[in-house]
Amino acid sequence: MELSEKEKLVLSKKIEQVFDRLWPLCRSITGEGLRESFRILQEIIPLELHEVKSGTPVFDWTVPDEWNIRDAFIITPEGEKIADFKMNSLHVVNYSEPVEAEMSFDELNRHLHYKKELPDAVPYITTYYRRRWGFCISYNQWKELPREGTYKVLIDSTLAPGSLTYGDLVLPGETDSEILFSSYLCHPSMANNELSGPLALAFLYRELEKLENRRYTCRFVIAPETIGAICNLHENGMHLRQKVIAGYVVTCCGDGGKMTFKQTREPGSLTNRVTAHVLDAEVREYRTLPFDPVGSDERQYGSPGFNLPVGVLMRTPFSEYPEYHTSLDNKDLMDFEKMKDFVRTCVKLVKAYNLNGVYENEIRYGEPFLGKRDLYEDLSTKRSHSETIKMRLRLLNYLDGTRDLLEVCERYGYNLLDLEGEIKQLLEHGLLSRVWP
Amino acid sequence: MELSEKEKLVLSKKIEQVFDRLWPLCRSITGEGLRESFRILQEIIPLELHEVKSGTPVFDWTVPDEWNIRDAFIITPEGEKIADFKMNSLHVVNYSEPVEAEMSFDELNRHLHYKKELPDAVPYITTYYRRRWGFCISYNQWKELPREGTYKVLIDSTLAPGSLTYGDLVLPGETDSEILFSSYLCHPSMANNELSGPLALAFLYRELEKLENRRYTCRFVIAPETIGAICNLHENGMHLRQKVIAGYVVTCCGDGGKMTFKQTREPGSLTNRVTAHVLDAEVREYRTLPFDPVGSDERQYGSPGFNLPVGVLMRTPFSEYPEYHTSLDNKDLMDFEKMKDFVRTCVKLVKAYNLNGVYENEIRYGEPFLGKRDLYEDLSTKRSHSETIKMRLRLLNYLDGTRDLLEVCERYGYNLLDLEGEIKQLLEHGLLSRVWP
Amino acid sequence: MELSEKEKLVLSKKIEQVFDRLWPLCRSITGEGLRESFRILQEIIPLELHEVKSGTPVFDWTVPDEWNIRDAFIITPEGEKIADFKMNSLHVVNYSEPVEAEMSFDELNRHLHYKKELPDAVPYITTYYRRRWGFCISYNQWKELPREGTYKVLIDSTLAPGSLTYGDLVLPGETDSEILFSSYLCHPSMANNELSGPLALAFLYRELEKLENRRYTCRFVIAPETIGAICNLHENGMHLRQKVIAGYVVTCCGDGGKMTFKQTREPGSLTNRVTAHVLDAEVREYRTLPFDPVGSDERQYGSPGFNLPVGVLMRTPFSEYPEYHTSLDNKDLMDFEKMKDFVRTCVKLVKAYNLNGVYENEIRYGEPFLGKRDLYEDLSTKRSHSETIKMRLRLLNYLDGTRDLLEVCERYGYNLLDLEGEIKQLLEHGLLSRVWP
């Protein structure tokens, strides 16, 4: 599974190529921009797409009308076309109702959004659940707009019954217990939040597909944030509650920052334990945040009725970089080499889940006689110095069906990922059997 | 409930006035001085009085004969009247049997008590359970007594079958679960230990009576220390064991020292949790002591058969000020303004119990759609900055019927007492329901 | 039980005398040298000896053939007799098969063992479970051996069906719950590891035999390391699993180092709690190691099927002194005065187990009335200053049948061994009863 230097380059390059194709599309929580984005992703990860009709009740929510937009702009009194949707889809407030009108600056101004503290950035604004319209421009542009004269505005959008699109995919393993990877797709041209997430999932799928010994089934979900995750849970939540043993929302993983793990709602979950172990051993420098029902789709997976063991894997959290939800969250922020490292860390997590488990010593009364199996020094000279034999005795003692391998690793400071060969050997000698899963 | 500056003055003044009336009475664990003290307290708190006959077996104890005293003094060989009970009831050992005799200094001296380390103080001594007599004087006075000549002594007391008096009162709430406030009344003229305790309880009753939304029933007990608490438990202990969810012995709360909370016998009790939370938020500087079956009536409430969740609220503990159990524990030690603060802190504790409880999210699957209830920003601009909305989402996620509000407050550093409005709103919207109590 | 200075001298002298008799014998895991060693120990501790036939299956192991040896040496090309078994039994690899041959240095060298980092030491080597032969010499001697010429070698040993010998002894107490003391006997002339262990056990038996009020039965096991402990467990393991409430492997206790306690496999065991308490109070400076299935016979007692609460008591652990398993582990390393202290600490441990237990307050509702039993000050003067009365109230409150005496001691910083008189008094007054054991 070690990739050559060349293959590594290929991986980060491939991610970048798909990024460039997804970037210009105007996504929203519904609509054709979203569908087109899914079609591009399907070239890498064969997601099954689901359409949920507008008006469908999904728990406490209702799927909204579908939004589609063809054009939007403002003509200044001086005849200049500004806030041109075709240049940057962020210029229009996402889910704006159609408008075609002339008006004064004062009237228009009630529909203008800008961000004074980032004067060159166009902010990203949405109005999914209340009908209104608006434009987003930079503060510097807003300052220069003439306060007199007549403005023309056009938003050529439709809000009409249609459907919401989301995708999922199951990569089967030896057991039907599942590891869930989820990300969201609904933001127009934004890079770290959000394109990094679905891209990481798509390429993670490609890596996991190549893995031998996939004990666990892996499930991938890409859906519009919040309402899409709710639609998926409405359809599959009871299944997920039975099957998901660990999972992650993947987001904001495209920048060069430190890795960050936001824990699951239940503090002692397998997800929390395995993630801490693997990140300690393999990444070393990273941050851990407690669960909080404020954030992304972990809010849905971690709602009390589901309470799924789903954490969040990211680099710099959305709340901590100033470009978040503005036009400055663009390709300049991306580091595709680091994204590749991120994907490889996810692969290590899956390997760790696959190897971990509850094993049981077949010889429970007295120490097993390792000598007759050539697993021990039969001459006493150097016996006490062999770290391998110490490790073997420890595994055979503590793997007694009451704890998982990870717990033994934590006790002795072993890296779980280093033990694959030893566990295999002990299983083959009939000294261990696997109890769960 | 915010009192005006004028009302605050009134409260501390009122306490002082009742203090001055109670001060001179010669109280004991039985007798007329005790009954007269209860009659004065009844003007503020309508205690129901109970009489338990001498000789009544109460668990491992027996109610002793009633003690009454009319006069006591010593006439020195020089004809001076000293240790005059009518000047200060501490001069006679409490529960002294009657005596009228002439004797030498040496014989008298076996009945004299003084305190060398506080040479001006008259110590407070009792002999409830063994018949003897004695006088208490200052060390400085004792030094000067003539060693020659004949002394006359008189103690005009009676020890005879009668009864022990204690009082209690129930202030009903919406549920019959109870918060217990207990203090003791049996010490002659002593201020911080003991008049502060029953006075605080009496005026706390007045404050709680005014409170709206009294979810819990509050029970007040004022009884002679030890034997009185035992009599009350003998009568009501099984009821208390079923109903009391939290409680406090209130004592030594009249000085200007820091607040002190002595915990209940069970370390994880609601009493300990709520008290720590409220004192952290509202008092900040205070001390916590572990439970110890050495002290006041918490010894009885915390005996293993009852094991009630009753702690102790005080300022400087009895063991930590030198004037304790002497004539120096007098009005000079009292700070009625601080006593008023103490009473108001008790009110906050009751409010915290009333608001705390187990609540359950009515929308368990997926996040509740706050937008349609006008509990969310429908335009996305500033959503992530609103601490109120974060708090709302956290409450709605974690209040899932498995933990109380206090636990959520502790998780996020919220002051429980600040959440009354928010909880009310979420109850009204049907987003929460109250599970317990 | 306080020994006079003279008796103390006698104890360490006696240990030394037996040490000197055991020292020269060539022990192994079977054979006549082992049996002779047991016969000497039986003069102090009347062990019952057990013989387990060669070929007997014992769990995952099989008892090996019995090894006996009469002579062994090498004649150099220069005619010098070296590696003479009769001078030091370490010169022959333990369990060597017989050989009588002539050979070159190169051929012989494949059978020679030395320790370069300790150039004057003869290493201790065994080959119990694979047939081979060999000699152990110092590195300095090995360097000087002629590389040319013919060597003669003789090992006059036999490997033939016979039996393995081990010994055990039960010292009955009032209950049949057991405290186990185990050590091993199989090393030829080695002092700290191993003669200190069986010697400590033998003299501990003598001390415990003198003890009054032996609540617990004490069991002593001395067996060849590993295979002997396994034989004993094969015979008695199910009994031990039912009866042993605490136990120790005793080893490496002859040097002058700090005491070391290696904990039992279950972290919360009574053994761990009592040992920490007694060593804290009585030894103060000592080390604690966690359980690890690498070491001595705790590997067998702590195998998952038995999981006995057996720790290890020692001074410097075997892995931490350079002379370990060489001819330098000899009498020069021994400190018989310290061994005597070690034995006396073991006695204190047994006393602590005997006194500890679950006691129950007979008066559960309200505080017991100590005054009527003359266990309290009936005059109130100094009551609050009496540490004895505080302790009494604490014991009577917390000894409620839900925790052991040790837990109450830990709560208040009391030394369990100081409480014998108080507990006896409270039992006699009927204020406490003993619940367990």
Side-chain angles (χ1 to χ4, degrees), chain B residues 386-410:
Chain B
S386 161
E387 287 303 322
T388 303
I389 286 173
K390 284 187 191 173
M391 182 183 73
R392 193 166 292 152
L393 289 168
R394 288 161 177 168
L395 293 172
L396 288 174
N397 183 290
Y398 278 109
L399 292 174
D400 62 355
T402 70
R403 53 179 69 77
D404 64 8
L405 178 57
L406 181 58
E407 189 178 328
V408 184
C409 288
E410 294 291 352

PDB file of all heavy atoms in Angstrom, chain B residues 386-410:
ATOM      1  N   SER B 386     -24.112  34.094  16.898  1.00  0.00           N
ATOM      2  CA  SER B 386     -25.091  34.314  17.943  1.00  0.00           C
ATOM      3  C   SER B 386     -24.929  33.312  19.076  1.00  0.00           C
ATOM      4  O   SER B 386     -25.233  32.126  18.942  1.00  0.00           O
ATOM      5  CB  SER B 386     -26.491  34.202  17.354  1.00  0.00           C
ATOM      6  OG  SER B 386     -27.402  33.977  18.383  1.00  0.00           O
ATOM      7  N   GLU B 387     -24.486  33.781  20.214  1.00  0.00           N
ATOM      8  CA  GLU B 387     -24.315  32.898  21.377  1.00  0.00           C
ATOM      9  C   GLU B 387     -25.657  32.372  21.858  1.00  0.00           C
ATOM     10  O   GLU B 387     -25.751  31.266  22.389  1.00  0.00           O
ATOM     11  CB  GLU B 387     -23.592  33.626  22.511  1.00  0.00           C
ATOM     12  CG  GLU B 387     -22.108  33.842  22.268  1.00  0.00           C
ATOM     13  CD  GLU B 387     -21.328  32.550  22.008  1.00  0.00           C
ATOM     14  OE1 GLU B 387     -21.624  31.527  22.651  1.00  0.00           O
ATOM     15  OE2 GLU B 387     -20.438  32.568  21.129  1.00  0.00           O
ATOM     16  N   THR B 388     -26.712  33.162  21.668  1.00  0.00           N
ATOM     17  CA  THR B 388     -28.036  32.707  22.087  1.00  0.00           C
ATOM     18  C   THR B 388     -28.472  31.493  21.283  1.00  0.00           C
ATOM     19  O   THR B 388     -29.005  30.519  21.824  1.00  0.00           O
ATOM     20  CB  THR B 388     -29.078  33.832  21.888  1.00  0.00           C
ATOM     21  OG1 THR B 388     -28.643  34.959  22.626  1.00  0.00           O
ATOM     22  CG2 THR B 388     -30.458  33.395  22.367  1.00  0.00           C
ATOM     23  N   ILE B 389     -28.226  31.538  19.967  1.00  0.00           N
ATOM     24  CA  ILE B 389     -28.650  30.399  19.143  1.00  0.00           C
ATOM     25  C   ILE B 389     -27.788  29.180  19.427  1.00  0.00           C
ATOM     26  O   ILE B 389     -28.287  28.051  19.489  1.00  0.00           O
ATOM     27  CB  ILE B 389     -28.676  30.805  17.654  1.00  0.00           C
ATOM     28  CG1 ILE B 389     -29.907  31.710  17.442  1.00  0.00           C
ATOM     29  CG2 ILE B 389     -28.739  29.581  16.744  1.00  0.00           C
ATOM     30  CD1 ILE B 389     -29.992  32.323  16.081  1.00  0.00           C
ATOM     31  N   LYS B 390     -26.499  29.378  19.651  1.00  0.00           N
ATOM     32  CA  LYS B 390     -25.649  28.246  20.046  1.00  0.00           C
ATOM     33  C   LYS B 390     -26.191  27.601  21.316  1.00  0.00           C
ATOM     34  O   LYS B 390     -26.313  26.377  21.425  1.00  0.00           O
ATOM     35  CB  LYS B 390     -24.212  28.707  20.303  1.00  0.00           C
ATOM     36  CG  LYS B 390     -23.408  28.979  19.055  1.00  0.00           C
ATOM     37  CD  LYS B 390     -21.956  29.248  19.449  1.00  0.00           C
ATOM     38  CE  LYS B 390     -21.159  29.787  18.281  1.00  0.00           C
ATOM     39  NZ  LYS B 390     -19.817  30.211  18.685  1.00  0.00           N
ATOM     40  N   MET B 391     -26.500  28.443  22.284  1.00  0.00           N
ATOM     41  CA  MET B 391     -27.017  27.931  23.557  1.00  0.00           C
ATOM     42  C   MET B 391     -28.303  27.140  23.341  1.00  0.00           C
ATOM     43  O   MET B 391     -28.500  26.060  23.893  1.00  0.00           O
ATOM     44  CB  MET B 391     -27.279  29.090  24.494  1.00  0.00           C
ATOM     45  CG  MET B 391     -27.763  28.661  25.859  1.00  0.00           C
ATOM     46  SD  MET B 391     -28.126  30.094  26.885  1.00  0.00           S
ATOM     47  CE  MET B 391     -29.639  30.672  26.112  1.00  0.00           C
ATOM     48  N   ARG B 392     -29.174  27.683  22.481  1.00  0.00           N
ATOM     49  CA  ARG B 392     -30.462  27.026  22.203  1.00  0.00           C
ATOM     50  C   ARG B 392     -30.235  25.638  21.597  1.00  0.00           C
ATOM     51  O   ARG B 392     -30.858  24.646  22.004  1.00  0.00           O
ATOM     52  CB  ARG B 392     -31.248  27.921  21.244  1.00  0.00           C
ATOM     53  CG  ARG B 392     -32.681  27.591  21.078  1.00  0.00           C
ATOM     54  CD  ARG B 392     -33.389  28.753  20.375  1.00  0.00           C
ATOM     55  NE  ARG B 392     -33.449  29.930  21.232  1.00  0.00           N
ATOM     56  CZ  ARG B 392     -33.494  31.201  20.803  1.00  0.00           C
ATOM     57  NH1 ARG B 392     -33.495  31.469  19.488  1.00  0.00           N
ATOM     58  NH2 ARG B 392     -33.546  32.188  21.663  1.00  0.00           N
ATOM     59  N   LEU B 393     -29.330  25.570  20.618  1.00  0.00           N
ATOM     60  CA  LEU B 393     -29.055  24.278  19.977  1.00  0.00           C
ATOM     61  C   LEU B 393     -28.452  23.287  20.973  1.00  0.00           C
ATOM     62  O   LEU B 393     -28.744  22.089  20.943  1.00  0.00           O
ATOM     63  CB  LEU B 393     -28.108  24.464  18.787  1.00  0.00           C
ATOM     64  CG  LEU B 393     -28.730  25.167  17.570  1.00  0.00           C
ATOM     65  CD1 LEU B 393     -27.656  25.566  16.569  1.00  0.00           C
ATOM     66  CD2 LEU B 393     -29.758  24.243  16.903  1.00  0.00           C
ATOM     67  N   ARG B 394     -27.614  23.789  21.848  1.00  0.00           N
ATOM     68  CA  ARG B 394     -26.984  22.911  22.840  1.00  0.00           C
ATOM     69  C   ARG B 394     -28.018  22.381  23.833  1.00  0.00           C
ATOM     70  O   ARG B 394     -28.031  21.182  24.164  1.00  0.00           O
ATOM     71  CB  ARG B 394     -25.886  23.676  23.579  1.00  0.00           C
ATOM     72  CG  ARG B 394     -24.676  23.931  22.711  1.00  0.00           C
ATOM     73  CD  ARG B 394     -23.782  25.046  23.235  1.00  0.00           C
ATOM     74  NE  ARG B 394     -22.607  25.177  22.384  1.00  0.00           N
ATOM     75  CZ  ARG B 394     -21.757  26.209  22.437  1.00  0.00           C
ATOM     76  NH1 ARG B 394     -21.991  27.214  23.293  1.00  0.00           N
ATOM     77  NH2 ARG B 394     -20.718  26.241  21.648  1.00  0.00           N
ATOM     78  N   LEU B 395     -28.879  23.267  24.288  1.00  0.00           N
ATOM     79  CA  LEU B 395     -29.927  22.816  25.218  1.00  0.00           C
ATOM     80  C   LEU B 395     -30.815  21.781  24.545  1.00  0.00           C
ATOM     81  O   LEU B 395     -31.147  20.742  25.126  1.00  0.00           O
ATOM     82  CB  LEU B 395     -30.774  24.006  25.695  1.00  0.00           C
ATOM     83  CG  LEU B 395     -30.052  25.035  26.580  1.00  0.00           C
ATOM     84  CD1 LEU B 395     -30.956  26.246  26.821  1.00  0.00           C
ATOM     85  CD2 LEU B 395     -29.622  24.418  27.914  1.00  0.00           C
ATOM     86  N   LEU B 396     -31.197  22.054  23.295  1.00  0.00           N
ATOM     87  CA  LEU B 396     -32.130  21.154  22.604  1.00  0.00           C
ATOM     88  C   LEU B 396     -31.473  19.824  22.263  1.00  0.00           C
ATOM     89  O   LEU B 396     -32.148  18.806  22.142  1.00  0.00           O
ATOM     90  CB  LEU B 396     -32.686  21.823  21.349  1.00  0.00           C
ATOM     91  CG  LEU B 396     -33.681  22.950  21.644  1.00  0.00           C
ATOM     92  CD1 LEU B 396     -34.077  23.659  20.359  1.00  0.00           C
ATOM     93  CD2 LEU B 396     -34.919  22.397  22.352  1.00  0.00           C
ATOM     94  N   ASN B 397     -30.161  19.815  22.115  1.00  0.00           N
ATOM     95  CA  ASN B 397     -29.492  18.550  21.839  1.00  0.00           C
ATOM     96  C   ASN B 397     -29.285  17.751  23.123  1.00  0.00           C
ATOM     97  O   ASN B 397     -29.618  16.567  23.195  1.00  0.00           O
ATOM     98  CB  ASN B 397     -28.147  18.798  21.168  1.00  0.00           C
ATOM     99  CG  ASN B 397     -27.449  17.497  20.787  1.00  0.00           C
ATOM    100  OD1 ASN B 397     -26.994  16.759  21.650  1.00  0.00           O
ATOM    101  ND2 ASN B 397     -27.409  17.209  19.499  1.00  0.00           N
ATOM    102  N   TYR B 398     -28.751  18.389  24.123  1.00  0.00           N
ATOM    103  CA  TYR B 398     -28.341  17.632  25.320  1.00  0.00           C
ATOM    104  C   TYR B 398     -29.475  17.377  26.305  1.00  0.00           C
ATOM    105  O   TYR B 398     -29.382  16.468  27.128  1.00  0.00           O
ATOM    106  CB  TYR B 398     -27.167  18.320  26.005  1.00  0.00           C
ATOM    107  CG  TYR B 398     -25.849  17.967  25.347  1.00  0.00           C
ATOM    108  CD1 TYR B 398     -25.138  18.889  24.597  1.00  0.00           C
ATOM    109  CD2 TYR B 398     -25.328  16.682  25.471  1.00  0.00           C
ATOM    110  CE1 TYR B 398     -23.943  18.550  23.994  1.00  0.00           C
ATOM    111  CE2 TYR B 398     -24.130  16.331  24.869  1.00  0.00           C
ATOM    112  CZ  TYR B 398     -23.438  17.268  24.133  1.00  0.00           C
ATOM    113  OH  TYR B 398     -22.259  16.914  23.539  1.00  0.00           O
ATOM    114  N   LEU B 399     -30.516  18.182  26.259  1.00  0.00           N
ATOM    115  CA  LEU B 399     -31.651  17.901  27.154  1.00  0.00           C
ATOM    116  C   LEU B 399     -32.506  16.817  26.509  1.00  0.00           C
ATOM    117  O   LEU B 399     -33.536  17.075  25.899  1.00  0.00           O
ATOM    118  CB  LEU B 399     -32.465  19.173  27.412  1.00  0.00           C
ATOM    119  CG  LEU B 399     -31.727  20.233  28.228  1.00  0.00           C
ATOM    120  CD1 LEU B 399     -32.535  21.520  28.312  1.00  0.00           C
ATOM    121  CD2 LEU B 399     -31.398  19.719  29.633  1.00  0.00           C
ATOM    122  N   ASP B 400     -32.052  15.598  26.620  1.00  0.00           N
ATOM    123  CA  ASP B 400     -32.676  14.470  25.921  1.00  0.00           C
ATOM    124  C   ASP B 400     -33.260  13.457  26.895  1.00  0.00           C
ATOM    125  O   ASP B 400     -33.452  12.301  26.556  1.00  0.00           O
ATOM    126  CB  ASP B 400     -31.649  13.808  24.999  1.00  0.00           C
ATOM    127  CG  ASP B 400     -30.473  13.237  25.781  1.00  0.00           C
ATOM    128  OD1 ASP B 400     -30.423  13.442  27.008  1.00  0.00           O
ATOM    129  OD2 ASP B 400     -29.618  12.591  25.161  1.00  0.00           O
ATOM    130  N   GLY B 401     -33.495  13.906  28.120  1.00  0.00           N
ATOM    131  CA  GLY B 401     -34.113  12.998  29.086  1.00  0.00           C
ATOM    132  C   GLY B 401     -33.126  12.131  29.837  1.00  0.00           C
ATOM    133  O   GLY B 401     -33.528  11.345  30.696  1.00  0.00           O
ATOM    134  N   THR B 402     -31.844  12.254  29.531  1.00  0.00           N
ATOM    135  CA  THR B 402     -30.859  11.399  30.211  1.00  0.00           C
ATOM    136  C   THR B 402     -29.987  12.171  31.186  1.00  0.00           C
ATOM    137  O   THR B 402     -29.131  11.585  31.830  1.00  0.00           O
ATOM    138  CB  THR B 402     -29.916  10.708  29.210  1.00  0.00           C
ATOM    139  OG1 THR B 402     -29.059  11.711  28.635  1.00  0.00           O
ATOM    140  CG2 THR B 402     -30.680  10.003  28.115  1.00  0.00           C
ATOM    141  N   ARG B 403     -30.143  13.477  31.242  1.00  0.00           N
ATOM    142  CA  ARG B 403     -29.306  14.279  32.154  1.00  0.00           C
ATOM    143  C   ARG B 403     -30.100  15.496  32.568  1.00  0.00           C
ATOM    144  O   ARG B 403     -31.097  15.832  31.942  1.00  0.00           O
ATOM    145  CB  ARG B 403     -28.017  14.705  31.451  1.00  0.00           C
ATOM    146  CG  ARG B 403     -28.227  15.394  30.118  1.00  0.00           C
ATOM    147  CD  ARG B 403     -26.938  15.816  29.477  1.00  0.00           C
ATOM    148  NE  ARG B 403     -26.112  14.714  29.019  1.00  0.00           N
ATOM    149  CZ  ARG B 403     -26.321  14.003  27.911  1.00  0.00           C
ATOM    150  NH1 ARG B 403     -27.357  14.294  27.128  1.00  0.00           N
ATOM    151  NH2 ARG B 403     -25.524  13.018  27.561  1.00  0.00           N
ATOM    152  N   ASP B 404     -29.682  16.157  33.618  1.00  0.00           N
ATOM    153  CA  ASP B 404     -30.424  17.334  34.044  1.00  0.00           C
ATOM    154  C   ASP B 404     -29.812  18.605  33.451  1.00  0.00           C
ATOM    155  O   ASP B 404     -28.710  18.594  32.882  1.00  0.00           O
ATOM    156  CB  ASP B 404     -30.580  17.399  35.566  1.00  0.00           C
ATOM    157  CG  ASP B 404     -29.275  17.543  36.322  1.00  0.00           C
ATOM    158  OD1 ASP B 404     -28.227  17.750  35.681  1.00  0.00           O
ATOM    159  OD2 ASP B 404     -29.305  17.449  37.560  1.00  0.00           O
ATOM    160  N   LEU B 405     -30.548  19.680  33.569  1.00  0.00           N
ATOM    161  CA  LEU B 405     -30.122  20.958  33.014  1.00  0.00           C
ATOM    162  C   LEU B 405     -28.778  21.378  33.582  1.00  0.00           C
ATOM    163  O   LEU B 405     -27.923  21.929  32.886  1.00  0.00           O
ATOM    164  CB  LEU B 405     -31.207  22.009  33.339  1.00  0.00           C
ATOM    165  CG  LEU B 405     -30.945  23.438  32.889  1.00  0.00           C
ATOM    166  CD1 LEU B 405     -30.715  23.526  31.393  1.00  0.00           C
ATOM    167  CD2 LEU B 405     -32.109  24.341  33.309  1.00  0.00           C
ATOM    168  N   LEU B 406     -28.585  21.080  34.850  1.00  0.00           N
ATOM    169  CA  LEU B 406     -27.335  21.451  35.509  1.00  0.00           C
ATOM    170  C   LEU B 406     -26.134  20.848  34.793  1.00  0.00           C
ATOM    171  O   LEU B 406     -25.105  21.496  34.619  1.00  0.00           O
ATOM    172  CB  LEU B 406     -27.383  20.970  36.969  1.00  0.00           C
ATOM    173  CG  LEU B 406     -26.166  21.283  37.818  1.00  0.00           C
ATOM    174  CD1 LEU B 406     -25.893  22.774  37.862  1.00  0.00           C
ATOM    175  CD2 LEU B 406     -26.384  20.751  39.234  1.00  0.00           C
ATOM    176  N   GLU B 407     -26.265  19.615  34.364  1.00  0.00           N
ATOM    177  CA  GLU B 407     -25.145  18.957  33.688  1.00  0.00           C
ATOM    178  C   GLU B 407     -24.804  19.676  32.389  1.00  0.00           C
ATOM    179  O   GLU B 407     -23.634  19.827  32.031  1.00  0.00           O
ATOM    180  CB  GLU B 407     -25.496  17.485  33.421  1.00  0.00           C
ATOM    181  CG  GLU B 407     -24.306  16.689  32.924  1.00  0.00           C
ATOM    182  CD  GLU B 407     -24.634  15.220  32.711  1.00  0.00           C
ATOM    183  OE1 GLU B 407     -25.483  14.663  33.449  1.00  0.00           O
ATOM    184  OE2 GLU B 407     -24.049  14.619  31.790  1.00  0.00           O
ATOM    185  N   VAL B 408     -25.833  20.130  31.684  1.00  0.00           N
ATOM    186  CA  VAL B 408     -25.580  20.870  30.441  1.00  0.00           C
ATOM    187  C   VAL B 408     -24.926  22.214  30.765  1.00  0.00           C
ATOM    188  O   VAL B 408     -23.998  22.650  30.078  1.00  0.00           O
ATOM    189  CB  VAL B 408     -26.884  21.051  29.643  1.00  0.00           C
ATOM    190  CG1 VAL B 408     -26.605  21.728  28.308  1.00  0.00           C
ATOM    191  CG2 VAL B 408     -27.576  19.711  29.430  1.00  0.00           C
ATOM    192  N   CYS B 409     -25.398  22.856  31.822  1.00  0.00           N
ATOM    193  CA  CYS B 409     -24.774  24.122  32.241  1.00  0.00           C
ATOM    194  C   CYS B 409     -23.303  23.920  32.572  1.00  0.00           C
ATOM    195  O   CYS B 409     -22.447  24.716  32.174  1.00  0.00           O
ATOM    196  CB  CYS B 409     -25.497  24.686  33.457  1.00  0.00           C
ATOM    197  SG  CYS B 409     -27.119  25.325  33.059  1.00  0.00           S
ATOM    198  N   GLU B 410     -23.012  22.855  33.303  1.00  0.00           N
ATOM    199  CA  GLU B 410     -21.616  22.593  33.672  1.00  0.00           C
ATOM    200  C   GLU B 410     -20.773  22.357  32.431  1.00  0.00           C
ATOM    201  O   GLU B 410     -19.640  22.797  32.341  1.00  0.00           O
ATOM    202  CB  GLU B 410     -21.532  21.384  34.616  1.00  0.00           C
ATOM    203  CG  GLU B 410     -22.179  21.591  35.975  1.00  0.00           C
ATOM    204  CD  GLU B 410     -21.458  22.582  36.871  1.00  0.00           C
ATOM    205  OE1 GLU B 410     -20.355  23.026  36.514  1.00  0.00           O
ATOM    206  OE2 GLU B 410     -22.019  22.939  37.931  1.00  0.00           O
TER     207      GLU B 410
END
